Amino acid sequence: MASTDAPAGSSGSVIKSVKPAGAQPWAGSSISSITDGEFIATGSTTMSLRVYAPEAGKKVQLKVEDATDPTKSVETYALTTTANGWQTLNFDFAQQAAGTAAFDNATTYNKASVFFDFLANASGQTYYFDDLAYNKSSTATTTTYSAPSNLKESFNSAAGITDFEGAVTSLASTDAPAGSSGSVIKSVKPAGAQPWAGSTISSITDGEFIATGSTTMSLRVYAPEAGKKVQLKVEDATDPTKSVETYALTTTANGWQTLNFDFAQQAAGTAAFDNATTYNKASVFFDFLANASGQTYYFDDLAYNKAVIAA
């Protein structure tokens, strides 16, 4: 527990966590005391944690489990984006870490464990954390409005979808995987394409990919493997120096899933989200920074806030 030595910006006492040299790469701390039954509320898959880290880009893994049955657990992670400053990290257990069990609504998750700089060799760095929160009191609802723009129309537009660095997209209808709703976009990263090959979506009818007051987008994806990194970038179409990037990992092989992207947690080395910027151009990178192997991906339903962009 840290009180007098807590970093500026803390509210009262916080938890101080040191990963000393010699500690295991998976060293962490478990939190078992909870008064109202669960760390994850009914109908929610998310938690947040307020963190103070010495560097940006540090991997913070969060695990919740049934205290009476450690075989029932789920893990996910977030990356720090701030050095020596407080930030709130969001964890979505619907996108579990590769190699860990999927979230199960039937499980009582009443034990939590936090791992700082997960799987990295310990170097004696110090972290602080506080405010482990979950969505019990939220009354938010999800509403889908009519599509303001259309990926299918974008594909058919000369200014719509543009491939770069070797990626190849096409419109899939009769050859779309089972579970698709109508036409979807097929994306191939052929052998020889650059590791950062991707596709840009420029056609949008209502001004922005990110709605006012929102930092999140989602994309429905069909991937050949779990654990594939999907990077999403949004930028000002008139000024490419104004952009933000983040990513999500696929958790399903050969099946549709919805990936969530929170630009408030930007990818390491990319600019921070700026509410004053008009983000009206988006780029998708499948298996980002991995060598191309000819794998095929499908995507649809690029969504933001309360609107959906569907093929």
Side-chain angles (χ1 to χ4, degrees), residues 160-187:
I161 295 182
T162 305
D163 301 323
F164 52 87
E165 302 295 356
V168 179
T169 57
S170 58
L171 192 62
S173 52
T174 57
D175 60 337
S180 60
S181 52
S183 298
V184 300
I185 307 302
K186 178 180 180 179
S187 178

Side-chain angles (χ1 to χ4, degrees), residues 114-151:
V114 183
F115 310 83
F116 287 103
D117 205 13
F118 186 59
L119 294 186
N121 291 329
S123 58
Q125 289 184 314
T126 298
Y127 300 81
Y128 299 85
F129 65 99
D130 198 9
D131 302 332
L132 183 62
Y134 65 106
N135 196 27
K136 183 172 184 178
S137 60
S138 175
T139 58
T141 58
T142 300
T143 305
T144 300
Y145 287 90
S146 300
S149 186
N150 191 295
L151 286 183

Side-chain angles (χ1 to χ4, degrees), residues 31-35 39 110:
I31 306 159
S32 301
S33 177
I34 185 170
T35 58
F39 279 103
N110 53 1

Side-chain angles (χ1 to χ4, degrees), residues 32 65-72 107-111:
S32 301
E65 61 188 287
D66 183 335
T68 66
D69 185 353
T71 67
K72 296 178 179 178
T107 296
T108 297
Y109 296 109
N110 53 1
K111 180 179 178 181

Side-chain angles (χ1 to χ4, degrees), residues 68-90:
T68 66
D69 185 353
T71 67
K72 296 178 179 178
S73 66
V74 60
E75 302 179 39
T76 193
Y77 68 88
L79 299 179
T80 62
T81 60
T82 301
N84 298 316
W86 286 99
Q87 66 183 126
T88 298
L89 298 182
N90 296 304

